Amino acid sequence: MSAEDELLAAERRLQAAQLAGDVAALDELIDDRLVFTGPDGKLYRKQDDLHVHRTGHQVMTRVDEEEVEVLVDGDLGVTWFLGRLAGTFGGEAFDWRMRYTRTWHRGADGGWKIVAAHGSAV
């Protein structure tokens, strides 16, 4: 499998983990150093993301990929996701079309982890 195919598979595992609220899978896919710029412009960390899934504060009911692009350069990769997300956050329903840019690092074990990300409503 090519590095691009491996990264695309990691991106899709991330989407599935978000939809399932699978905290263990998210923990594997998100680097401890993660910095995520949310649509509100605030910075979030790995523990913030895991917390909202673990507590049910965020529940995803839909993660529909419309398009995804992948770039790999050595042990760094970038994915650009465009799609529709729906669910609840803090008990409030949401249904958004989003663009995510995710920067990934491939570790010594060959696994990809997100180190930086940015999300924007489209």
Side-chain angles (χ1 to χ4, degrees):
M1 182 182 300
S2 73
E4 288 80 6
D5 289 339
E6 290 172 355
L7 182 53
L8 179 59
E11 168 68 34
R12 292 196 170 136
R13 280 195 310 276
L14 175 72
Q15 294 174 34
Q18 290 171 325
L19 184 59
D22 186 341
V23 175
L26 291 169
D27 188 37
E28 282 183 25
L29 291 163
I30 301 171
D31 191 277
D32 291 342
R33 302 167 292 176
L34 171 78
V35 178
F36 169 63
T37 305
D40 58 2
K42 293 181 181 177
L43 297 180
Y44 299 93
R45 311 294 176 173
K46 177 179 182 174
Q47 62 270 18
D48 300 319
D49 193 45
L50 296 181
H51 178 75
V52 296
H53 286 281
R54 185 180 295 116
T55 61
H57 189 78
Q58 177 176 299
V59 177
M60 306 294 291
T61 58
R62 181 176 177 185
V63 177
D64 295 338
E65 176 188 299
E66 294 176 26
E67 66 182 51
V68 66
E69 293 187 34
V70 175
L71 170 73
V72 173
D73 185 359
D75 289 335
L76 292 177
V78 180
T79 56
W80 293 271
F81 166 93
L82 175 65
R84 182 157 301 278
L85 306 178
T88 58
F89 190 85
E92 297 291 321
F94 68 87
D95 186 348
W96 303 323
R97 190 164 183 248
M98 295 289 295
R99 167 75 71 187
Y100 287 98
T101 302
R102 297 181 176 109
T103 304
W104 301 73
H105 179 261
R106 182 172 39 201
D109 64 356
W112 289 99
K113 291 188 178 225
I114 303 165
V115 293
H118 183 270
S120 298
V122 180

